[in-house]
Amino acid sequence: MAGTIILWGHALAALLFAVLALSQLRDGAVSVPRTAFVAALGITALWALAVAGIGNPDLTARVAESLRNIAWLAFMMALLRRDHSAGRDRAVTMIYGVVVLVALAGIVLSVIQASVPADVVKGFAAVRILLRMMVALGALVLVHHLYSVAAPGARGGIRLAVAALAIMWTSDLVLYTTAYLSGEGSQELIATRGLVMIAIVPLLAIAVHRNGDWTLKLSRTVTWQSLSLVALMAYAVVTILAISAIDSFGGSYARLAQTAFVFGSAAALLTLLSSPTIKAWLRVMVAKHLFNHRYDYRAEWSRFTDTLGAPGDGAAPLEERIVKAVADVTDSSAGLLLVADDGVFGLGATWNWLGTVPVTIAGEPLAQSMAGNSRIIELDAVRAGDAPPGELAAVPQWMLDEPSAWAIVPLVHLNQLIGAILLARPPIDRSLDWEDFDLLRIAGRQVASYLAEARAHEALADARRFDEFNRRFAFIMHDVKNLVSQLTLVARNAERHADNPDFRVDMIATLKDSVGRMNDLLARLSQHNSARVEEPVAVELMPIVERVTQRRGASHPIAVTGMRDAVAVADPARLEQALGHLIQNAIEASAPGEPVGVVVGRATIEVIDSGPGMSASFIRDRLFRPFTSTKSGGFGIGAFEARQVIQAMGGKLDVVSREGEGTRFTIVLREALAPVKMERAA
């Protein structure tokens, strides 16, 4: 049954591939990818016909299969070379060349296998199957690479072709992996592969008729992955060949020698790859010989910004992250931040710096030189005397005496020198080139903006602390002014009523109240004590109003009316403070002898004056802003602080005013049960 499916499946696949190739020939369009595509279709048709007519184990079928793989690789390479910048990349060309060489090695082994004695065939067969597995695996990597480097807008035109090739080589990989592990080919898998080849023909036909614009660009990440896979494949080939040679010539110690070789080579490879120096050397060599530019700028910038913006509580301080971010650009092993302050460099943060650092940086000439030209200084050139005269005179001697010191990168923000970073030598010592200078200059400007922003935040925090102190002091001055007015009135009346016992009692009470309020003001001025703050409770409003008006009523008539049993939720002391501000403002706005009205409602207190009033724009934009006042010599604090205090108790302060008619302030508090009602509820 499997033999019949192999015969008819591969025969039908050969027919379909041949028809698709002929249709492309009749189309008449000529281009390198189309020619390679037609050739690959034709060779695939011949291979399928050989499998159907002669059989998969035959030499002709094996050679045709290798040629089929090479043809499809040539088609993929033709697609890749449509983009000139991608086609010039030697890394991609090398990967294709390695896979093609492995396929050619498979042809050579197939020919040798057909001509050697039967007792040697088994060893060649295992190596040949392994090589075909490597071809399938390498081809799948290149298929992924081809799709990855396609422009995102053009992937629709290449998606089906990539899918078809991926399916073809995946079936090959499954077939030969099974054969390598079991020691013999599976007829069922060979039959399935014929059906798979039939299924991918429609995908190829649709893909080629879409005529998509397959514009490609090289991806360094995919190239590195492909190179790593090719290296692993080469290591596997060398290992298999060495093991086979040891098995042939090792005699009775062959198994021991094979084990020692495998473990020894693996340990040596891991030791080499784990060395930072080796890894740095590999990166430099590959970037130098395989790419047009040293840096993958997108990857470098992503790493740079990730280092600077590292979140979390465990992140290093900003200055240390700045040094590391700049050092990572050139793979420097350490760095030292020099902070500019009044034209002199001071020592900042360090990252992995093991060299000597003097107590005094002695960087004044260096800071002045960098502030003038913003040049990156290469210290080896200064040591050799090849640097400009200004740099020769500016670089401190301790930097030149430190052998690990490599370069100095200025940090300039808006033409102002913020600092500089002294970089240590990378593991692979080299001279700076134009790409290093350009990238370090951009990185220096970026981290300079971070440092400048951090300093601005610190200055803003200091300004806010001073502003908070000034705001508290302004509030205190406003309340002190009211206390002084009250005490002045007491002193003036004492000259006339000092012999009156009732006046002396009232004067003593006033003085005690003033002393208490002054102590409260001092407490409010401290940043560690925000004055006495009590939890709002149910309080009667009329006694509070009477206490405030009694103190203020001696200098100006105040008329108190309203509900005597009104109860609201408030902090009594803070409510007295807010009400005192509003009544004092009403007194100052009223004409002499014109009474100020205070009306107590269910949970409200209204302060009414008949003064000049305020405009709607003033109420909206300026009334509740501190330090804004319509009165000569006023602080503009009363209304602002009154609203802050009332809102802190869960209430609100409303105002209605008309110019020339007066103003009405209304304190609205949370309503509470009256004392009689509370007794009944209990």
Side-chain angles (χ1 to χ4, degrees):
M1 182 64 181
T4 303
I5 297 177
I6 291 174
L7 172 62
W8 291 105
H10 284 81
L12 180 57
L15 177 62
L16 293 176
F17 274 98
V19 170
L20 184 57
L22 291 174
S23 68
Q24 293 304 304
L25 287 175
R26 293 180 59 186
D27 188 55
V30 178
S31 66
V32 175
R34 184 176 291 274
T35 302
F37 181 72
V38 173
L41 290 175
I43 295 175
T44 304
L46 293 176
W47 161 78
L49 187 61
V51 174
I54 306 175
N56 190 67
D58 188 79
L59 175 61
T60 304
R62 292 171 181 171
V63 173
E65 181 178 349
S66 296
L67 294 177
R68 180 208 69 178
N69 292 333
I70 294 173
W72 283 114
L73 289 172
F75 165 66
M76 292 165 54
M77 190 63 183
L79 287 180
L80 192 67
R81 284 185 174 273
R82 290 192 65 183
D83 181 77
H84 299 291
S85 61
R88 288 197 304 266
D89 195 277
R90 286 173 286 183
V92 181
T93 305
M94 188 186 72
I95 298 171
Y96 276 90
V98 170
V99 178
V100 170
L101 287 176
V102 174
L104 292 175
I107 295 177
V108 174
L109 283 180
S110 298
V111 174
I112 295 175
Q113 182 181 349
S115 59
V116 297
D119 55 344
V120 190
V121 169
K122 185 176 181 180
F124 277 95
V127 177
R128 178 182 55 79
I129 293 174
L130 179 62
L131 292 179
R132 293 194 181 276
M133 290 170 53
M134 294 170 61
V135 170
L137 188 59
L140 287 174
V141 171
L142 292 174
V143 167
H144 176 264
H145 170 267
L146 179 65
Y147 182 74
S148 299
V149 299
R155 287 179 178 173
I158 201 174
R159 185 179 292 114
L160 293 177
V162 166
L165 296 177
I167 292 172
M168 180 183 73
W169 276 311
T170 300
S171 65
D172 286 354
L173 183 61
V174 172
L175 172 63
Y176 290 116
T177 302
T178 304
Y180 183 79
L181 295 176
S182 63
E184 58 182 7
S186 172
Q187 295 297 308
E188 289 77 10
L189 289 178
I190 296 175
T192 303
R193 186 170 63 164
L195 301 178
V196 167
M197 298 303 294
I198 294 173
I200 69 175
V201 174
L203 298 179
L204 293 172
I206 297 173
V208 75
H209 283 291
R210 282 190 173 181
N211 292 323
D213 181 16
W214 296 344
T215 302
L216 307 177
K217 60 181 179 180
L218 181 64
S219 169
R220 289 193 179 219
T221 302
V222 177
T223 301
W224 276 106
Q225 294 173 353
S226 303
L227 284 174
S228 302
L229 184 57
V230 169
L232 291 176
M233 291 168 58
Y235 172 74
V237 170
V238 173
T239 302
I240 294 297
L241 294 177
I243 289 175
S244 300
I246 293 173
D247 186 45
S248 301
F249 303 103
S252 58
Y253 297 100
R255 181 57 60 89
L256 180 62
Q258 289 174 341
T259 303
F261 175 79
V262 171
F263 280 97
S265 61
L269 184 63
L270 291 176
T271 301
L272 290 175
L273 294 180
S274 61
S275 171
T277 303
I278 296 297
K279 289 192 291 186
W281 180 81
L282 288 174
R283 282 195 295 268
V284 171
M285 290 299 103
V286 172
K288 181 178 180 180
H289 297 290
L290 297 182
F291 294 101
N292 296 327
H293 298 285
R294 179 187 299 277
Y295 296 104
D296 183 351
Y297 293 100
R298 178 181 177 276
E300 291 293 338
W301 200 248
S302 297
R303 181 177 65 173
F304 181 81
T305 53
D306 288 342
T307 303
L308 286 179
D313 297 334
L318 175 63
E319 290 188 352
E320 185 176 338
R321 298 202 309 271
I322 282 175
V323 178
K324 182 180 185 303
V326 176
D328 285 343
V329 170
T330 55
D331 292 330
S332 296
S333 56
L336 174 67
L337 176 63
L338 306 177
V339 181
D341 186 13
D342 293 333
V344 179
F345 276 138
L347 179 62
T350 62
W351 176 71
N352 292 343
W353 187 265
L354 301 178
T356 58
V357 180
V359 178
T360 303
I361 298 297
E364 182 175 358
L366 179 63
Q368 294 175 354
S369 175
M370 286 193 157
N373 54 35
S374 302
R375 283 174 50 89
I376 296 173
I377 300 177
E378 191 174 6
L379 293 180
D380 287 340
V382 177
R383 294 185 180 99
D386 299 332
E391 295 180 3
L392 294 176
V395 177
Q397 187 61 40
W398 70 268
M399 292 186 183
L400 301 178
D401 295 338
E402 177 56 49
S404 62
W406 186 48
I408 307 175
V409 181
L411 309 182
V412 180
H413 178 65
L414 299 179
N415 297 324
Q416 179 182 0
L417 184 66
I418 304 298
I421 294 179
L422 177 61
L423 295 178
R425 296 185 185 276
I428 301 299
D429 193 12
R430 59 182 178 83
S431 298
L432 294 168
D433 58 19
W434 66 269
E435 282 194 88
D436 296 317
F437 286 122
D438 285 348
L439 195 55
L440 286 175
R441 188 176 297 108
I442 295 172
R445 290 186 178 275
Q446 183 69 17
V447 299
S449 66
Y450 273 76
L451 278 177
E453 183 180 0
R455 293 183 182 180
H457 278 296
E458 292 176 358
L460 180 61
D462 292 340
R464 284 176 176 171
R465 285 191 288 269
F466 277 109
D467 180 68
E468 174 65 18
F469 182 83
N470 292 335
R471 185 178 65 85
R472 295 187 184 193
F473 189 77
F475 292 159
I476 299 303
M477 289 294 295
H478 178 270
D479 291 343
V480 167
K481 179 176 71 71
N482 294 336
L483 288 173
V484 169
S485 300
Q486 184 176 354
L487 293 176
T488 300
L489 179 63
V490 170
R492 186 185 310 120
N493 291 333
E495 296 177 357
R496 293 180 295 175
H497 307 290
D499 296 335
N500 189 341
D502 293 335
F503 174 79
R504 289 197 297 268
V505 171
D506 184 66
M507 181 179 65
I508 293 173
T510 301
L511 292 175
K512 288 182 177 179
D513 179 70
S514 298
V515 171
R517 293 175 64 189
M518 287 182 180
N519 288 329
D520 183 60
L521 294 179
L522 292 175
R524 288 167 56 198
L525 188 61
S526 171
Q527 61 176 336
H528 303 293
N529 187 349
S530 58
R532 65 186 187 216
V533 178
E534 299 179 359
E535 187 70 22
V537 295
V539 295
E540 294 186 58
L541 299 181
M542 187 59 76
I544 295 176
V545 172
E546 289 177 344
R547 285 198 299 271
V548 176
T549 55
Q550 185 178 3
R551 291 195 298 266
R552 298 291 196 279
S555 60
H556 195 92
I558 302 175
V560 179
T561 58
M563 301 173 58
R564 302 202 63 85
D565 60 348
V567 179
V569 177
D571 175 358
R574 304 304 295 274
L575 180 57
E576 285 189 28
Q577 176 187 351
L579 186 59
H581 284 317
L582 297 180
I583 293 178
Q584 183 66 33
N585 286 346
I587 291 174
E588 293 176 355
S590 301
E594 185 71 28
V596 171
V598 179
V599 181
V600 179
R602 184 177 299 277
T604 62
I605 302 175
E606 296 180 350
V607 179
I608 307 168
D609 67 72
S610 55
M614 298 173 288
S615 65
S617 61
F618 181 87
I619 295 174
R620 181 183 64 250
D621 300 329
R622 302 179 61 189
L623 175 61
F624 295 109
R625 291 182 59 186
F627 316 120
T628 301
S629 176
T630 58
K631 300 186 293 291
S632 176
F635 287 93
I637 296 296
F640 171 77
E641 187 174 18
R643 188 173 70 166
Q644 295 290 104
V645 168
I646 293 168
Q647 288 178 345
M649 294 185 293
K652 65 178 181 177
L653 178 62
D654 296 332
V655 57
V656 177
S657 182
R658 293 181 182 274
E659 292 182 281
E661 298 182 9
T663 303
R664 179 191 301 266
F665 283 94
T666 303
I667 300 175
V668 181
L669 302 171
R670 290 178 291 169
E671 188 175 354
L673 296 175
V676 176
K677 295 180 180 179
M678 288 190 289
E679 292 177 2
R680 293 177 180 175

